[in-house]
């Protein structure tokens, strides 16, 4: 089915063609006509399915068709993380490049003033994380009285991150007569409740699930003592086939420690976690995408929704606590390599979690022993990094045990920021 049968504006079709897309993805083919027809839509789709264009293309078509908003914001997209906001922004600007529409982004971790000015200037489209947007709305910087579209992207993730109260407050102040589009990877009871509150007779579009990465990605486990994990990573990275490697750490400090260890061994890497400024995160991502660094060390939340092609290997430096995180992490790689596309380091404490995961994905993961690696090496002295080695989320593991019952570290003075 060609794009031109979907009812999109000609200028948008041109931009789509310039982006090199030849035909719509299944979620686009299903969602675009419904949205162009003016319906509220629930889209069940994951990142990587083309869902951003699925809501952006028809929304831009209707905005262009209806003319100007007389200096008022006409569309609001809410997304869980700064990275996702930046990614949607990049997409929207590409698709809207032949249209006279103005776009602004709003997210935490950077100065408020440019965002305030952009909001006050009445841009047509705002893409925002809920926390910072609320802050600015409380300061009366936004005028949504002429809003025509609300999009909730990755709604399930926003609920997981505790944004429900903020979202409710934002939506309360929006005009009732609007078109609301909600995208989520899953349709849980919480999501259904959200759609009942916010949507009017929504049409649900769901595409068949993508092939389960747990079935298509080559997976390997290295059983290893905790203190040897950094040296094993360095050892494995001697293989030149590991040319674009995403390493997952359970904590931000852990991610920094891994990066330091790599640096000591002459391997440059970039890190992606929420303690880093927005600019640092965007730079890290760019360095990784451009191939300036081979290794990107990330936490789950920071890596969520990020769209990077060509990752050769995913390394679970810390084994994930949840099966969903595992499947999500390993889904980042697609190429078959003899060494294993998805590599997990598993310590004794992880065994019960590993067994639950194997039950969940309905297959055993092969164990591997690293050739030429010294498994008997003694534990090194402290590397002098920050002390907090506890998992960030004291949660229940896949096997039902508590991952960490220790007291949470006290917040340091001045660190009381919103999560976005
Ligand atoms: P998303 O699921 O929105 O994160 O999109 C995943 C990737 O697919 C992005 O890099 C898009 O640029 C790309 N994409 C979106 N729609 C199409 C299409 N119809 N044909 C080819 N690529 C697409």
């Amino acid at each position: 089915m060609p794009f031109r049968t979907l009812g999109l504006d000609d200028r948008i079709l041109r931009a789509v063609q310039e982006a090199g897309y030849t035909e719509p993805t299944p979620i686009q083919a299903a969602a675009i006509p419904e949205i162009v027809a003016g319906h509220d839509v629930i889209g069940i789709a994951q990142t990587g399915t083309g869902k951003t264009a699925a809501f952006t293309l028809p929304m831009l078509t209707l905005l262009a068709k209806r003319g100007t908003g007389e200096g008022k914001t006409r569309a609001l997209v809410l997304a869980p993380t700064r990275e996702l906001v930046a990614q949607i922004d990049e997409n929207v600007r590409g698709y809207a490049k032949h249209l006279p529409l103005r776009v602004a982004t709003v997210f935490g971790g950077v100065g408020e003033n440019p965002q305030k000015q952009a909001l006050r200037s009445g841009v047509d489209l705002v893409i925002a994380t809920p926390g910072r947007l609320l802050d600015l709305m409380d300061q009366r910087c936004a005028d949504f009285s002429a809003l025509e579209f609300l999009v909730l992207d990755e709604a399930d993730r926003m609920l997981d991150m505790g944004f429900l109260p903020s979202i409710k407050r934002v939506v309360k102040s929006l005009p009732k007569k609007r078109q609301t589009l909600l995208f989520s990877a899953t349709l849980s009871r919480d999501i259904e409740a959200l759609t009942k509150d916010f949507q009017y007779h929504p049409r649900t579009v769901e595409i068949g699930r993508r092939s389960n990465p747990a079935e298509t990605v080559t997976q390997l486990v290295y059983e290893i003592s905790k203190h040897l994990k950094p040296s094993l990573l360095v050892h494995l990275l001697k293989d030149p086939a590991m040319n674009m490697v995403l390493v997952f750490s359970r904590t931000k400090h852990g991610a920094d420690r891994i990066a330091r260890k790599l640096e000591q061994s002459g391997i440059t890497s970039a890190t992606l976690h929420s303690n880093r400024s927005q600019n640092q995160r965007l730079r890290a991502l760019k360095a990784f995408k451009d191939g300036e660094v081979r290794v990107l060390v990330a936490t789950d939340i920071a890596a969520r929704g990020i769209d990077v092609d060509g990752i050769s290997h995913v390394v679970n430096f810390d084994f994930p606590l949840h099966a969903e995180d595992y499947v999500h992490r390993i889904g980042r790689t697609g190429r078959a390599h003899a060494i294993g596309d998805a590599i997990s380091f598993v310590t004794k404490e992880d065994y019960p979690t590993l067994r639950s995961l194997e039950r969940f994905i309905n297959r055993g993961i092969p164990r591997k022993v690293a050739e030429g690696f010294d498994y008997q090496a003694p534990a090194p002295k402290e590397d002098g990094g920050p002390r907090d080695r506890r998992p960030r989320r004291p949660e229940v593991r896949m096997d039902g045990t508590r991952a960490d019952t220790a007291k949470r570290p006290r917040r340091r003075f001045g660190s009381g920021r919103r999560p976005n």
Side-chain angles (χ1 to χ4, degrees):
M1 180 200 291
F3 265 108
R4 68 188 144 66
T5 58
L6 299 177
L8 296 170
D9 185 281
D10 283 345
R11 289 162 292 181
I12 294 168
L13 284 175
R14 185 144 49 101
V16 163
Q17 204 178 13
E18 286 161 6
Y21 304 169
T22 49
E23 59 178 292
T25 65
I27 191 77
Q28 292 163 1
I32 291 173
E34 298 286 1
I35 301 172
V36 170
H39 296 296
D40 281 5
V41 163
I42 303 172
I44 306 297
Q46 292 164 332
T47 298
T49 54
K51 70 181 165 63
T52 315
F55 64 77
T56 307
L57 303 178
M59 183 168 74
L60 293 174
T61 290
L62 293 179
L63 290 174
K65 192 163 138 193
R66 294 175 192 155
T68 71
E70 289 168 359
K72 287 185 179 175
T73 298
R74 305 165 64 198
L76 171 63
V77 180
L78 291 179
T81 63
R82 314 161 194 199
E83 281 75 17
L84 195 56
V85 166
Q87 216 163 278
I88 297 169
D89 178 51
E90 198 182 314
N91 275 283
V92 169
R93 284 177 199 274
Y95 303 140
K97 68 183 186 190
H98 302 303
L99 296 172
L101 295 174
R102 290 183 309 143
V103 185
T105 53
V106 168
F107 46 74
V110 294
E112 287 185 349
N113 280 337
Q115 300 180 358
K116 282 183 182 173
Q117 276 162 13
L119 281 181
R120 288 206 173 104
S121 75
V123 289
D124 298 279
L125 210 142
V126 173
I127 307 159
T129 53
R132 169 60 70 90
L133 181 70
L134 249 193
D135 285 347
L136 301 189
M137 285 172 75
D138 286 344
Q139 297 174 55
R140 307 206 172 283
C141 300
D143 180 355
F144 292 137
S145 62
L147 200 87
E148 299 165 43
F149 284 96
L150 169 66
V151 181
L152 301 170
D153 193 18
E154 300 210 354
D156 48 349
R157 194 80 332 232
M158 289 202 280
L159 296 191
D160 285 352
M161 291 171 72
F163 282 135
L164 184 60
S166 305
I167 294 172
K168 281 191 165 160
R169 274 190 59 208
V170 171
V171 177
K172 225 175 172 174
S173 68
L174 305 179
K176 290 248 168 344
K177 191 172 168 302
R178 56 160 201 265
Q179 202 173 339
T180 304
L181 314 173
L182 180 146
F183 282 77
S184 173
T186 54
L187 190 58
S188 63
R189 206 172 286 170
D190 290 342
I191 294 290
E192 278 183 9
L194 203 64
T195 82
K196 285 214 170 65
D197 283 352
F198 295 163
Q199 292 189 298
Y200 177 75
H201 292 316
R203 308 285 169 104
T204 302
V205 294
E206 183 166 6
I207 48 150
R209 290 182 80 73
R210 266 190 309 170
S211 62
N212 181 353
E215 286 164 14
T216 53
V217 172
T218 317
Q219 300 161 70
L220 279 180
V221 157
Y222 288 91
E223 294 176 337
I224 188 84
S225 309
K226 197 171 172 183
H227 73 274
L228 290 177
K229 290 203 282 187
S231 345
L232 179 59
L233 179 61
V234 170
H235 179 79
L236 295 178
L237 284 169
K238 287 182 191 151
D239 183 340
M242 296 188 72
N243 56 17
M244 195 172 184
V245 184
L246 180 57
V247 176
F248 281 98
S249 160
R250 203 175 284 163
T251 68
K252 306 168 201 176
H253 294 317
D256 287 336
R257 269 199 303 274
I258 295 167
R260 274 202 302 277
K261 172 71 187 180
L262 291 177
E263 199 182 316
Q264 284 163 10
S265 309
I267 301 167
T268 52
S269 64
T271 54
L272 201 67
H273 58 66
S274 54
N275 268 10
R276 314 210 68 206
S277 73
Q278 175 62 10
N279 277 339
Q280 286 172 322
R281 289 157 78 172
L282 290 176
R283 246 185 304 169
L285 204 56
K286 188 167 181 323
F288 186 56
K289 280 185 179 176
D290 294 350
E292 283 164 34
V293 297
R294 274 166 82 195
V295 183
L296 181 69
V297 189
T299 56
D300 285 296
I301 296 233
R304 187 63 75 156
I306 279 175
D307 169 31
V308 182
D309 285 335
I311 290 175
S312 67
H313 294 78
V314 167
V315 177
N316 293 313
F317 186 92
D318 294 318
F319 200 67
L321 299 181
H322 301 283
E324 275 169 20
D325 284 338
Y326 180 86
V327 173
H328 209 100
R329 286 179 181 186
I330 71 165
R332 299 318 177 82
T333 177
R335 289 188 286 168
H337 283 280
I339 191 171
D341 281 344
I343 294 168
S344 299
F345 292 178
V346 170
T347 66
K348 270 203 187 76
E349 293 132 51
D350 299 320
Y351 289 168
T353 318
L354 173 63
R355 278 193 292 274
S356 316
L357 171 77
E358 290 179 321
R359 274 196 300 275
F360 180 82
I361 61 174
N362 212 10
R363 60 165 54 202
I365 304 177
R367 312 307 198 248
K368 188 155 181 188
V369 175
E371 263 174 55
F373 180 70
D374 179 9
Y375 278 87
Q376 306 307 324
K381 292 217 169 70
E382 275 291 312
D383 67 359
R387 285 279 160 85
D388 177 16
R389 283 165 184 269
R390 281 169 288 209
R392 201 173 56 80
R393 299 183 292 182
E395 287 179 89
V396 179
R397 294 175 189 268
M398 291 177 216
D399 65 340
T401 58
R402 296 271 302 180
D404 176 24
T405 45
K407 247 169 87 180
R408 304 279 288 152
R410 286 181 64 179
R411 262 191 176 175
R412 253 174 291 143
F413 181 72
S415 65
R417 277 199 297 116
R418 283 180 196 275
N420 67 328

